[in-house]
Amino acid sequence: MNSIILKTLVAASLVAAAQAQVHVLGAVWKERGLSAPAGTIVLNPGTIAATRGYMIFDPSILTAAPGPGTLIQYRDARSGGVIQRTYTINSGFRAFSGDIIAGDSGGRRIYGQIHAPMTLANVPNATLPYSGSALPTGYPSKLRFDDTVFQVGTATPLTGPRVVDLGATLARSVISGSATSVDVEATTIAGATAELTDRLEKAGFSRAAVVPVITTGLPATIALQDGQSQVLSVTVGADAFPAPIYKWFRNDVQVSTAPTFTVTGADVATGPGTYRVEVSSSAGTATSTTTVTSVAYTFATNLPPTLSIQGASSAVLSVVLSPEPIPAPIPQPTYQWFKNNVAITAANGGTTATLLIIGGEAITGAGTYRVQVTNGSGVVSVSGNSVVSVPAAGTAFVFTTNTPRTAKPLFTTTVNLSPVVNTAAVPSSVSATRQWFKAPLDNPTAFAPIPAGDGGTTLILAVSGDNANVKGPGVYRLVVTSTVAPITTITSIDTVVTTGP
């Protein structure tokens, strides 16, 4: 049932006098309604069944900021010759207000407005004026509801100002009634509610089904990054009866019957889409909808604006995404590197998370780089530019020729890996030590030194296409260390050696 918030004004002295913890008014509302063919004037409207109820308040009703009370409404309804006795509960009842006036003789009168329950002219949040007397504590004791006419819309000229044309019939309602104090043993609103509903059920009343009301719905949109999760939930009014059931839908396909549902960016089953929750009881259904979208990755760490590598030295360009890492089974991001606005091929590392660049190499080397990252939903993020420069080796202890990225010797032949260290380096590279390392192709980071007897300490290493050869297919790198202060160590790029065709 709809309710409205109305201000209560009560003298401060009456607030101080309040002692009871809960107060109950038992009320009867009578609705006299009209229903006739369009254009007909009926002078004596028919009467429909009365509605009765209990209004339960705590001491806050005597303040300028009253808290919610509880309204229990019950009635007898005849359907197909059978009388049904039902009641409903509104635990957020606020449609009550009043002003108390104390007379010279000590009497106290109360005037205000109260919720007006109607069946025929269904005016939302309608209130009914009343007058009555108040107890010494300030609580209302006896109230009389004035006859009040309610209608929906605007009356037609043919039928007059008090009758409304609702299509095929005319409808209006006149509400009147009264209320008196009811004694309860309970001292709380919850306790009084339980006590009074127990009385009703013993008298043959049963609680009527109520359509759930979603008081806090889903947000209109939710934007998620890949792997980011959010729990979808709604708040349902406490008076829904019986306990509601939930159905969650993604793109109109049911996905869950739990009270909440978790969505995750880019997930195949719970990723972007239109989500709807249906909260239902036997009386009806309330719905709420949201659209989950995918947003581009952000860069927790972007490319460096500039990078300088000397001679044939190497460097690795990389970015750090947010969020990272992306948990399984979320699709992993894909990468495409560009140099001078031209895509770098996969064979040269252009589709990996990091990019190896080598000074003096035509494929990489000096130029302007960027990376394009695509998430699992196809949304693209583009890094900033990184300008790579390759100054001459000068006297730096660096490679002037690096090892190749790959080598493919035939099964019966060898290929020389022959990097060159700067001959003008200071300290001199002449006396530098050299050590080659090899890792298996299936475990390319598990490097082990190649023995000196197999050429592991020479500048040039002959690798073979024969798997049985100690220098056969694998991943190779050279580490060179100066022997004159300042001690400097440089490492070649990794060369992947496989058997050629």
Side-chain angles (χ1 to χ4, degrees):
M1 182 193 69
N2 293 326
S3 63
I4 60 175
I5 300 175
L6 297 171
K7 187 177 181 181
T8 301
L9 301 175
V10 182
S13 60
L14 296 179
V15 177
Q19 297 177 354
Q21 295 301 304
V22 70
H23 183 69
V24 180
L25 286 175
V28 177
W29 298 273
K30 182 176 290 186
E31 179 179 13
R32 300 191 305 279
L34 176 151
S35 180
T40 302
I41 298 178
V42 179
L43 299 179
N44 296 307
T47 300
I48 65 174
T51 300
R52 291 164 287 175
Y54 297 112
M55 289 169 283
I56 310 170
F57 306 112
D58 64 12
S60 71
I61 194 64
L62 303 176
T63 71
T70 291
L71 171 65
I72 303 172
Q73 289 184 192
Y74 61 99
R75 61 181 299 173
D76 299 320
R78 184 180 296 274
S79 176
V82 178
I83 296 178
Q84 295 180 335
R85 315 188 83 187
T86 59
Y87 70 89
T88 59
I89 299 174
N90 176 4
S91 60
F93 179 62
R94 293 176 180 267
F96 182 93
S97 69
D99 295 327
I100 293 179
I101 299 176
D104 294 337
S105 61
R108 294 180 174 87
R109 297 291 296 172
I110 185 169
Y111 302 88
Q113 300 179 82
I114 196 169
H115 162 76
M118 290 179 295
T119 300
L120 186 56
N122 187 19
V123 178
N125 298 328
T127 54
L128 185 66
Y130 70 82
S131 62
S133 58
L135 298 171
T137 58
Y139 281 120
S141 58
K142 293 182 179 181
L143 305 179
R144 174 181 173 82
F145 308 140
D146 303 331
D147 286 359
T148 305
V149 179
F150 294 95
Q151 64 183 48
V152 181
T154 304
T156 67
L158 176 64
T159 57
R162 291 295 188 183
V163 183
V164 181
D165 187 349
L166 297 180
T169 62
L170 306 171
R172 70 179 178 188
S173 293
V174 180
I175 301 290
S176 61
S178 61
T180 58
S181 295
V182 174
D183 292 332
V184 293
E185 295 181 0
T187 58
T188 65
I189 291 179
T193 301
E195 182 178 335
L196 292 169
T197 54
D198 182 64
R199 293 183 193 178
L200 289 172
E201 291 182 358
K202 288 179 179 178
F205 289 85
S206 60
R207 188 170 179 180
V210 175
V211 179
V213 176
I214 296 177
T215 56
T216 303
L218 299 172
T221 60
I222 299 172
L224 297 177
Q225 292 180 322
D226 285 11
Q228 183 181 11
S229 296
Q230 182 167 328
V231 177
L232 302 183
S233 65
V234 294
T235 302
V236 178
D239 301 319
F241 184 82
I245 60 174
Y246 294 78
K247 291 182 180 179
W248 290 91
F249 297 82
R250 180 190 184 218
N251 298 332
D252 294 326
V253 177
Q254 185 173 329
V255 292
S256 176
T257 57
T260 62
F261 187 76
T262 300
V263 292
T264 302
D267 184 75
V268 174
T270 65
T274 299
Y275 289 82
R276 180 179 78 254
V277 62
E278 296 182 353
V279 186
S280 304
S281 73
S282 56
T285 300
T287 64
S288 185
T289 302
T290 187
T291 299
V292 176
T293 61
S294 180
V295 296
Y297 289 114
T298 57
F299 294 100
T301 303
N302 214 315
L303 296 178
T306 60
L307 179 65
S308 177
I309 53 176
Q310 281 187 284
S313 299
S314 63
V316 174
L317 291 177
S318 64
V319 293
V320 177
L321 301 178
S322 177
E324 191 176 79
I326 309 302
I330 305 303
Q332 297 301 297
T334 60
Y335 297 81
Q336 178 60 64
W337 289 89
F338 295 82
K339 176 189 177 186
N340 298 333
N341 295 322
V342 177
I344 300 172
T345 64
N348 293 302
T351 58
T352 58
T354 61
L355 180 68
L356 174 67
I357 54 177
I358 305 170
E361 184 184 59
I363 297 170
T364 58
T368 300
Y369 293 82
R370 74 174 189 276
V371 63
Q372 177 176 292
V373 185
T374 304
N375 71 9
S377 299
V379 181
V380 175
S381 303
V382 180
S383 73
N385 288 336
S386 182
V387 179
V388 176
S389 60
V390 184
T395 59
F397 191 84
V398 295
F399 290 105
T400 53
T401 301
N402 218 310
T403 57
R405 292 175 182 264
T406 61
K408 293 184 178 182
L410 299 176
F411 180 78
T412 57
T413 63
T414 60
V415 170
N416 287 335
L417 303 183
S418 51
V420 177
V421 180
N422 185 11
T423 57
V426 178
S428 174
S429 62
V430 175
S431 61
T433 63
R434 298 164 179 84
Q435 178 62 60
W436 285 94
F437 293 82
K438 178 186 177 185
L441 290 173
D442 59 359
N443 192 5
T445 60
F447 284 96
I450 298 174
D454 293 317
T457 58
T458 62
L459 181 60
I460 299 174
L461 184 70
V463 294
S464 169
D466 183 358
N467 284 296
N469 192 311
V470 68
K471 293 177 288 183
V475 181
Y476 292 82
R477 67 170 53 160
L478 173 65
V479 176
V480 182
T481 304
S482 66
T483 56
V484 179
I487 303 299
T488 304
T489 297
I490 56 176
T491 302
S492 72
I493 69 167
D494 293 345
T495 299
V496 178
V497 176
T498 56
T499 303

